[in-house]
């Protein structure tokens, strides 16, 4: 099959068309391609066929995008060498857009595009062409694939997808410093023509910036651009396709460029001389003034470090920089005294902390100024001679004892008189007072060192001329010890005596305690009271190391005979004068294990006194638990119900029921009692049914029981009796049609005395009137109906 076109879109296509026509004229493709390379002739010889080469095949078409003409756009032509022009060949087109976008003339093979195409949406279409015999529908040519490419036209302008842009460049940058690169995109075909060839140019921003026409790199075009003069610039860049030629499409974007700061400006004090007034009462460490040097730079480039460059001022004052305001904060290092020095002169220097060496040619980045400080005189509070006072006094001293004295003076030149008084807000004020003129401190109450060894008070002083000015000083009073407390025996634990103690055995070592100070205590001696007779059970030995030992004097003790013993002890301390105290120890006798380890003491446990051991207690508890378990099991079994052997939805059976004489009729029935079967004689009689109304009754006597003559009871075999009952139940037509299987236990013939059941009693005539049953209520309504009608006879 040969594919040709009648029009060429460019000189290159013209050449291709010419080559196509020349090649198509010299080659022919047979209509049918043999399936084999050999054919047998009539004479039996074999003729070898060589498949001829097909004509020139052009497998690609071109169609212009955005075609807006009224007629369909001609694309190309399909032609087979088998086509003789008689219309016997039918051309078929399939693939992408076949029949919708592209149509073909089945006779001529001309292909047309019926819609306007957009190359930016789809660049090419893949189709298949086939030539068929119109009469036989056989393929004259195999299906061939070809491509229709959409040829681009310049219908898309360049765009900056990321714009507008924001960029920055340091101030004072050299010419040609790169700022930013912008890139425009063009949706047209970059491989065909100049539709996507972009050239950049600057529309706004000259003479400060320039742009590279090919790369789109924006650069500085002016030297020494100063941020302090102008900080923000707006640059407009244009991108034009068709290599910038006339008729090309263009797009633009905006770049906002900011000059960033560099340290190209030194700090400057607005003036060279400053004055500051500071009162002498200014607090040390607090700010007293501030000074500032201006810097036109920003950020770290404007950071300034301040310093005082004269030693005299640097000893009294300090200066530091505030990071937020960049001010120099002046603070006081030592207290000012107007009477000693009235003025100070400070030379202050401000220096940039971050210096750029590129701008060193501009000079030193620092500046100086002079600050004169005048000290103001103020009326000051009195000043104590010491920062704090420590005094002492003996305990138990009488009221009015002198403890010590404080001294304060007026620091001003007037030297006013000072008065003293105590701070009434403190707790220890009740024990002391101060003379308001001399500053001497006295006691007001006797002091007890054991109660409070130290007292802290505050003495205040004020000028007589100006009482509002107060000064304070802390005073600590130590209470000195005197030996005024007798020693006592330290008995933290009870003294235990083992029953197996031997004579001479040390029962326990005791010591003493004394509330007095170490200087008057901690040296003790022990002895038994001299006025008491000798203790036959225990003796006391002074170890001469402030301890004493209790020693047993006899063999074996028995806590059942005597459990508690008392031992009085006299203790002397080593103070001046020496004090003594008598303490009585209680000794408890207890049974002990080996090595003296106590087995049981302090009254023993209540179970031991009752004579119960641990094993007996465990046995009692175990028995209680077992009894509780048996009770719970018994209650559980009583609550459980026995399930019937036969469970059905209609549990209907033939029962022999009895009524209590005082019962309520049908509502007070009981289930069949198996004892009735224990008496075969009683089982012979047929019991009348009480769940149905009797049909009739004779005029006199109770209802009679009719016995079926066909049923005979075998008094020996209960199994035969049950079968007879089953036959009787089946033949009874007066009962509802329901059956049930009854299983009864049988244990013998029963008592020879016979049954005393009322069921066995013969029917007797009764003259009783049963009309009173109507007055007994609904419970006896059924019974009243059975016996209420004297004319009816009950037959069961």
């Amino acid at each position: 099959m040969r594919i040709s076109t009648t029009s060429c879109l460019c000189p290159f296509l013209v050449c291709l068309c010419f080559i196509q026509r020349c090649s198509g004229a010299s080659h022919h493709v047979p209509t049918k391609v043999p399936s084999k390379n050999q054919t047998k002739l009539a004479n039996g010889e074999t003729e070898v066929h060589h498949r001829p080469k097909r004509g020139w095949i052009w497998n690609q078409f071109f169609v212009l995008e955005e075609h807006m003409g009224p007629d369909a756009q001609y694309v190309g032509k399909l032609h087979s060498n088998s086509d003789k022009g008689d219309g016997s060949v039918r051309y078929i087109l399939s693939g992408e857009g076949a029949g919708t976008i592209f149509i073909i003339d089945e006779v001529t093979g001309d292909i047309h595009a019926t819609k306007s195409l957009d190359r930016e949406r789809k660049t090419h279409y893949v189709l298949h062409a086939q030539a068929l015999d119109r009469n036989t529908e056989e393929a004259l040519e195999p299906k061939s694939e070809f491509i229709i490419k959409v040829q681009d036209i310049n219908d898309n302008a360049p765009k900056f997808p990321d714009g507008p842009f924001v960029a920055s460049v340091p101030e004072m940058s050299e010419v040609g410093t790169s700022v930013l690169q912008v890139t425009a995109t063009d949706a047209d075909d970059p491989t065909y023509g100049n539709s996507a060839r972009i050239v950049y140019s600057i529309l706004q921003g000259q003479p400060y910036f320039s742009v590279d026409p090919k790369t789109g790199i924006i650069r500085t075009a002016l030297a020494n651009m100063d941020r302090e003069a102008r900080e923000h610039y707006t640059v407009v860049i244009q991108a034009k396709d068709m290599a910038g030629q006339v008729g090309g499409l263009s797009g633009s974007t905006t770049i906002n460029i900011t000059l960033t700061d560099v340290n190209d400006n030194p700090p400057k004090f607005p003036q060279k001389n400053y004055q500051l007034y500071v009162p002498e009462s200014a607090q040390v460490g607090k700010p007293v003034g501030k000074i500032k040097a201006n810097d036109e730079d920003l950020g770290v480039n404007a950071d300034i470090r301040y310093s005082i460059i004269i030693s005299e001022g640097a000893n009294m004052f300090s200066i530091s920089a505030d990071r937020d305001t960049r001010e120099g904060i002046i603070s006081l290092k030592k207290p000012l005294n107007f009477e000693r020095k009235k003025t100070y002169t400070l030379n202050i220097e401000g220096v940039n902390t971050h210096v750029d060496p590129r701008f060193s040619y501009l000079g030193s980045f620092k500046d100086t100024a002079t600050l004169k400080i005048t000290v103001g005189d103020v009326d000051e509070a009195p000043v104590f001679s010491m920062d704090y006072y420590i005094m002492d006094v003996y305990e138990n001293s009488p009221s009015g004892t002198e403890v010590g004295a404080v001294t304060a003076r007026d620091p001003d030149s007037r030297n006013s008189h000072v008065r003293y008084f105590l701070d009434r807000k403190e707790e220890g004020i009740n024990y002391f007072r101060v003379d308001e003129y001399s500053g001497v401190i006295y006691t007001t109450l006797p002091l007890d060192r054991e109660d409070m060894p130290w007292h802290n008070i505050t003495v205040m002083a004020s000028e007589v001329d100006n009482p509002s000015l107060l000064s304070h000083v802390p005073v600590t009073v130590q209470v000195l010890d005197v030996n005024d407390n007798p020693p006592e025996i330290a008995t933290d634990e009870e003294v235990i005596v083992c029953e197996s103690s031997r004579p001479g055995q040390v029962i326990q070592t005791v010591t003493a305690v004394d509330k007095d100070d170490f200087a008057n205590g901690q040296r003790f001696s022990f002895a038994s009271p001299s006025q008491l007779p000798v203790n036959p059970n225990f003796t006391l030995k002074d170890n001469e190391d402030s301890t004493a030992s209790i020693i047993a004097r006899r063999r074996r003790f028995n806590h059942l005979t005597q459990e508690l013993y008392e031992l009085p002890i006299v203790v002397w301390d080593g103070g001046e004068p020496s004090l003594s105290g008598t303490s009585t120890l209680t000794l408890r006798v207890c049974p002990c294990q080996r090595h003296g380890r106590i087995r049981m003491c302090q009254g023993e446990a209540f179970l031991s006194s009752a004579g119960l051991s641990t094993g007996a207690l465990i046995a009692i508890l175990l028995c209680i638990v077992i009894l509780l378990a048996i009770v719970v099991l018994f209650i559980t079994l009583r609550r459980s119900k026995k399930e019937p052997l036969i469970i059905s939805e209609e549990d209907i059976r033939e029962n022999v029921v009895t009524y209590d004489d005082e019962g309520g009729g049908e509502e007070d029935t009981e289930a069949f009692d198996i004892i009735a079967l224990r008496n075969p004689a009683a089982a012979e009689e047929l019991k009348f049914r009480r769940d149905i109304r009797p049909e009739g009754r004779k005029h006199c006597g109770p209802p009679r029981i009719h016995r079926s003559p066909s049923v005979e009871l075998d008094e020996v075999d209960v199994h035969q009796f049950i079968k007879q009952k089953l036959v009787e139940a089946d033949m009874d037509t007066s009962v509802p049609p329901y059956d049930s299987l009854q299983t009864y236990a049988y244990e013998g013939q029963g008592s020879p005395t016979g049954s005393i059941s009322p069921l066995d009693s013969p029917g007797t005539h009764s003259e009783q009137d049963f009309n009173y049953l109507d007055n007994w209520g609904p419970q006896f309504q059924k019974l009243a109906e059975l016996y209420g009608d004297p004319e009816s006879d009950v037959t069961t």
Side-chain angles (χ1 to χ4, degrees):
M1 178 167 48
R2 184 178 72 246
I3 303 173
S4 62
T5 183
T6 58
S7 60
C8 299
L9 303 176
C10 62
F12 176 73
L13 296 179
V14 172
C15 297
L16 290 178
C17 294
F18 179 75
I19 297 173
Q20 173 194 1
R21 289 191 176 93
C22 295
S23 300
S26 59
H27 295 277
H28 298 277
V29 180
T31 302
K32 296 184 180 179
V33 179
S35 59
K36 297 186 178 293
N37 293 333
Q38 296 181 355
T39 304
K40 293 184 179 181
L41 301 178
N43 55 7
E45 296 181 357
T46 302
E47 179 181 1
V48 179
H49 296 276
H50 296 281
R51 182 173 181 176
K53 294 183 179 180
R54 300 178 60 187
W56 175 78
I57 297 177
W58 188 19
N59 60 354
Q60 184 170 286
F61 286 124
F62 292 90
V63 58
L64 285 175
E65 68 169 333
E66 305 294 346
H67 177 69
M68 304 300 294
D71 300 329
Q73 184 180 3
Y74 182 74
V75 179
K77 184 180 183 64
L78 299 180
H79 184 73
S80 174
N81 291 338
S82 301
D83 190 356
K84 306 301 182 180
D86 55 358
S88 61
V89 178
R90 183 164 67 94
Y91 297 96
I92 298 176
L93 189 65
S94 62
E96 296 178 343
T100 56
I101 300 176
F102 304 101
I103 60 175
I104 186 171
D105 191 320
E106 294 184 353
V107 178
T108 63
D110 294 332
I111 302 174
H112 290 80
T114 60
K115 296 181 180 180
S116 177
L117 304 180
D118 187 0
R119 189 203 66 85
E120 285 70 37
R121 292 187 177 181
K122 190 171 180 63
T123 58
H124 65 278
Y125 296 85
V126 179
L127 294 97
H128 298 86
Q130 191 174 10
L132 303 177
D133 190 304
R134 186 177 298 275
N135 298 322
T136 64
E137 292 296 328
E138 294 183 359
L140 302 177
E141 298 287 349
K143 183 180 294 187
S144 300
E145 180 181 285
F146 66 98
I147 298 174
I148 298 179
K149 286 190 174 182
V150 182
Q151 192 172 10
D152 183 53
I153 64 173
N154 189 17
D155 59 342
N156 291 278
K159 295 180 181 179
F160 292 90
D162 300 328
F165 301 89
V166 177
S168 62
V169 63
E171 63 173 332
M172 310 298 290
S173 297
E174 298 180 357
V175 176
T177 302
S178 176
V179 180
L180 179 69
Q181 182 179 12
V182 294
T183 303
T185 59
D186 196 322
D188 293 327
D189 189 359
T191 63
Y192 177 75
N194 295 327
S195 298
R197 185 179 177 185
I198 299 174
V199 173
Y200 301 94
S201 60
I202 186 168
L203 300 181
Q204 179 182 339
Q206 294 176 336
Y208 307 102
F209 300 95
S210 63
V211 64
D212 190 296
K214 294 183 179 180
T215 61
I217 298 177
I218 302 172
R219 303 178 185 274
T220 58
L222 188 64
N224 299 328
M225 288 191 293
D226 191 1
R227 185 199 64 82
E228 289 73 26
R230 182 178 177 183
E231 185 176 3
H232 301 286
Y233 295 86
T234 300
V235 178
V236 179
I237 301 297
Q238 182 189 65
K240 191 174 184 180
D241 58 13
M242 298 298 293
Q245 298 177 6
V246 178
L249 303 178
S250 64
S252 62
T253 188
T254 301
I255 302 96
N256 295 314
I257 301 176
T258 302
L259 296 182
T260 58
D261 184 66
V262 297
N263 191 8
D264 58 343
N265 293 280
K268 293 290 183 182
F269 286 102
Q271 57 191 58
K272 290 298 182 180
N273 297 293
Y274 296 88
Q275 291 186 356
L276 182 63
Y277 173 82
V278 181
E280 64 174 335
S281 59
Q283 297 182 12
V284 175
K286 298 294 183 179
V288 296
K290 56 186 177 181
I291 189 173
K292 183 179 181 181
N294 297 327
D295 195 325
E296 296 181 355
D297 296 323
L298 300 175
V300 295
N301 296 322
D303 289 344
I304 301 174
R305 182 181 66 253
Y306 297 94
S307 60
I308 301 174
I309 58 178
I310 295 181
S311 59
E312 177 187 7
N315 293 333
M316 293 296 297
F317 299 91
S318 64
I319 187 170
S320 60
D322 189 305
R323 292 185 178 182
D324 297 330
T325 62
R326 293 188 174 87
E327 294 177 330
I329 308 300
I330 301 171
S331 302
L332 189 63
K333 296 175 64 176
K334 295 181 180 180
L336 296 176
N337 193 334
F338 174 79
E339 288 73 24
R340 293 183 181 179
K341 189 174 180 60
K342 297 179 176 58
T343 60
Y344 294 89
T345 300
L346 306 180
N347 287 342
I348 300 176
E349 181 182 64
V351 181
N352 278 144
T353 57
H354 298 81
V355 179
D356 194 338
R358 295 179 301 170
F359 306 102
S360 59
Y361 64 91
L362 297 178
S364 60
F365 284 76
K366 61 183 179 179
D367 195 14
T368 58
T370 302
L371 176 62
K372 183 178 181 180
I373 298 177
T374 301
V375 180
D377 186 20
V378 295
D379 192 3
E380 300 175 80
V383 178
F384 285 94
S385 60
M386 299 177 63
D387 294 335
Y388 61 91
Y389 293 86
I390 299 178
M391 304 176 184
D392 53 56
V393 63
Y394 280 100
E395 65 175 332
N396 301 328
S397 298
S399 300
T401 302
E402 181 179 343
V403 180
V406 296
T407 304
R409 65 176 183 85
D410 183 9
D412 298 324
S413 57
R414 294 181 299 174
N415 195 15
S416 300
H417 294 288
V418 178
R419 289 186 177 179
Y420 305 92
F421 54 94
L422 297 179
D423 188 357
R424 298 294 176 181
K425 298 179 181 179
E426 296 182 340
E427 296 180 357
I429 189 62
N430 297 327
Y431 297 96
F432 304 94
R433 67 178 181 85
V434 62
D435 187 278
E436 63 175 337
Y437 297 105
S438 63
V440 178
I441 300 174
Y442 300 93
T443 61
T444 59
L445 295 172
L447 304 179
D448 187 1
R449 189 202 67 85
E450 287 72 33
D451 183 26
M452 185 179 295
W454 296 87
H455 293 269
N456 296 315
I457 61 176
T458 300
V459 179
M460 296 187 292
S462 65
E463 296 180 6
V464 176
D465 299 336
N466 190 359
S468 61
L469 295 177
L470 300 176
S471 59
H472 305 74
V473 66
V475 178
T476 301
V477 180
Q478 180 183 9
V479 182
L480 302 179
D481 182 58
V482 296
N483 191 18
D484 57 346
N485 291 279
E488 297 177 354
I489 296 296
T491 55
D492 297 335
E493 297 180 357
E494 191 176 34
V495 179
I496 302 301
V497 179
C498 291
E499 291 182 336
S500 59
S501 299
R502 302 182 303 276
Q505 181 178 351
V506 176
I507 302 301
Q508 188 166 335
T509 301
V510 296
T511 184
V513 293
D514 196 330
K515 296 181 180 179
D516 292 323
D517 195 6
F518 178 79
N520 294 320
Q522 305 301 324
R523 297 188 300 274
F524 305 106
S525 57
F526 304 84
S528 297
S530 58
Q531 68 274 14
L532 297 179
V534 178
N535 193 321
N537 300 310
F538 306 98
T539 185
L540 186 69
K541 176 186 178 182
D542 190 351
N543 297 326
E544 298 182 354
D545 59 353
S546 297
T547 64
S549 299
I550 301 174
I551 302 174
R553 301 190 64 176
R554 66 183 181 87
R555 182 184 302 276
R556 294 192 176 278
F557 295 85
N558 192 338
H559 75 285
L560 298 178
T561 302
Q562 183 175 354
E563 184 180 4
L564 300 177
Y565 293 88
E566 292 184 352
L567 179 65
I569 301 175
V570 181
V571 186
W572 289 270
D573 60 16
E576 292 294 338
S578 177
L579 298 179
S580 64
T582 302
S583 301
T584 300
L585 294 181
T586 300
L587 291 76
R588 181 181 297 274
V589 177
C590 291
C592 301
Q593 293 179 349
R594 297 181 61 185
H595 308 294
R597 187 156 58 90
I598 300 172
R599 182 180 64 188
M600 188 175 298
C601 199
Q602 293 182 351
E604 301 182 355
F606 73 96
L607 291 178
S608 299
S609 62
L612 295 178
S613 63
T614 304
L617 178 61
I618 295 176
I620 292 173
L621 294 177
L622 184 60
C623 292
I624 293 174
V625 172
I626 294 174
L627 289 175
L628 291 176
I630 293 174
V631 171
V632 172
L633 181 60
F634 179 75
I635 294 174
T636 304
L637 293 177
R638 287 291 302 272
R639 290 183 178 179
S640 62
K641 295 182 179 180
K642 185 176 181 181
E643 298 294 335
L645 297 177
I646 300 176
I647 301 176
S648 63
E649 295 182 357
E650 297 182 357
D651 190 8
I652 303 174
R653 64 195 70 182
E654 294 182 356
N655 295 334
V656 177
V657 296
T658 60
Y659 291 90
D660 193 350
D661 292 343
E662 297 178 0
E666 287 185 345
E667 298 182 4
D668 192 14
T669 61
E670 296 179 357
F672 174 74
D673 190 356
I674 195 62
I675 299 176
L677 291 180
R678 307 295 184 185
N679 189 0
E684 288 183 358
E685 300 295 336
L686 296 177
K687 310 304 183 296
F688 60 88
R689 296 180 58 89
R690 301 191 180 187
D691 57 346
I692 61 174
R693 182 181 181 90
E695 296 180 358
R697 181 180 174 184
K698 290 186 177 181
H699 182 73
C700 296
R704 294 180 300 171
I705 302 174
H706 297 272
R707 185 177 304 173
S708 174
S710 62
V711 178
E712 298 293 338
L713 177 62
D714 188 353
E715 296 183 359
V716 178
D717 190 0
V718 71
H719 182 66
Q720 185 64 28
F721 163 72
I722 293 174
K723 288 185 177 181
Q724 294 177 1
K725 293 294 296 181
L726 179 59
V727 172
E728 181 181 342
D730 291 339
M731 296 178 62
D732 191 355
T733 59
S734 62
V735 298
Y738 51 78
D739 299 330
S740 62
L741 176 62
Q742 305 294 336
T743 304
Y744 305 100
Y746 178 68
E747 297 182 357
Q749 295 292 333
S751 174
T753 59
S755 174
I756 61 174
S757 172
L759 295 177
D760 299 333
S761 301
T764 60
H765 298 283
S766 176
E767 297 179 356
Q768 185 179 358
D769 187 5
F770 296 97
N771 293 329
Y772 62 87
L773 295 177
D774 294 333
N775 301 325
W776 285 10
Q779 292 85 355
F780 298 92
Q781 185 65 32
K782 191 66 176 179
L783 191 60
E785 292 178 359
L786 294 175
Y787 293 94
D789 188 3
E791 300 297 332
S792 62
D793 184 12
V794 179
T795 302
T796 303

